[in-house]
Amino acid sequence: MFDMVRRLPQAVWLIGLISLVNDAASDMLYPLIPLYLASVLMAGPRTLGIIEGIAEATASILKLFSGVIVDYTSRTKAWIVFGYALAGFGRPLIAFISSWPFLLAIRFADRVGKGLRTSPRDALLAASAGPDMRGLAFGLHRAMDNAGAVLGPVVASLLLGFGMSLKDIFLWSIVPAVLCLVLALKIREPDRIIRGPAVKISWRLHDMPPAFRRYLVIVAIFTLGNSSNMFLLLRAQELGVPQARVPLLWAAVSAVAMLFSTPLSALSDRWGRVRLLLVGYLTYGVFYLAMGLMRGNGLGLYALFGFYGLFMAATEGVEKAMVADLAPEGRRGTAFGWFNLTAGLMLLPASILFGWLYERFSSLPAFTFSGACSIIAALLLVTWFRPGRQGKRGEGRARNTDAGTGKGG
């Protein structure tokens, strides 16, 4: 596998490095925003909910828009460069604001940047690696993304430990923003994106392959049970994990995902996407049921969080590789847009429903509901999905199809 990793195209490594730097900056600041909102801007949890709700909904809608435009223009680089620049250069401005509406504007710009870059970036990754290496490419990207999620909170803790103020930390985030921009400008698009046939702008889903539409339904059902990870941290505190250890517990989850994303996603190139997703969804179901039943904060709890990191490693890259397998040639951007929109929009009702069950009844019904959604999604994968020739293998049969055209993934 290491030889295959070395043979991945330069674009895959460059996009992974950009994600590492960007996520390190984002995750360095993200835990500090609630503190800044409360201690400097004098606003509470309800305001934070308004800000994050508007920001995330905007990102989800723009992921579809940017995916459709990529298929129409056959260009990805400009959207990637602009998306990372808008997010990166907006974050340092938090140091100068004096009220929460300005924070909303900055977070809005950050999520606009994410919405504009995500589907084009995914389409570029799919075009850069052939079907026989697609899972590996997305897995490496997720591994580097999770590496940034580990690095960011550690850097923030160190800076705060050395006495740096919140405002100064926000100002220093300009450094990774510049680095991301420089790296993004070095991206080279494959010829197959630049010289692709012209297509009409189309937002339509009904003319996508039936297997892709069924896949979106399965993703929606699974995501309905995939509430905010903040609830996992809340549950950990409820079980007695000291507050100071909670961020480290989450950093450990990201570390496990970072270590196993590449090998597990690469396994899907040989073993099959459906099998890896099935294992991942079942793992999620077991984890959530166990979290609802857990009592105490011993080693079992820490082992469970490591188990959750394995779920992330087994699904994050594979889900996107599946999209690339199922999407028609020339409409991958649109396909990634619909995938990202579906997953993004379902996160809001998932968190609202989970929170209501948690508060109205107890943690057990909430975690049981989430676990049940993942198990239903797993059953649909094996009984209803029927991916046919492409999805069963991102695996090799799609490779044979592309071999006749001289094109990769």
Side-chain angles (χ1 to χ4, degrees), residues 233 236-237 240-252 297-298 302 305:
L233 304 181
Q237 283 187 283
V241 175
Q243 189 172 9
R245 291 186 189 174
V246 171
L248 297 178
L249 187 63
W250 189 247
N297 63 347
Y302 291 89
F305 269 82

Side-chain angles (χ1 to χ4, degrees), residues 24-49:
S26 178
D27 282 276
M28 177 180 72
L29 302 183
Y30 189 74
L32 305 181
I33 288 177
L35 297 177
Y36 194 76
L37 191 67
S39 63
V40 178
L41 303 183
M42 302 302 174
R46 183 179 299 178
T47 300
L48 181 61

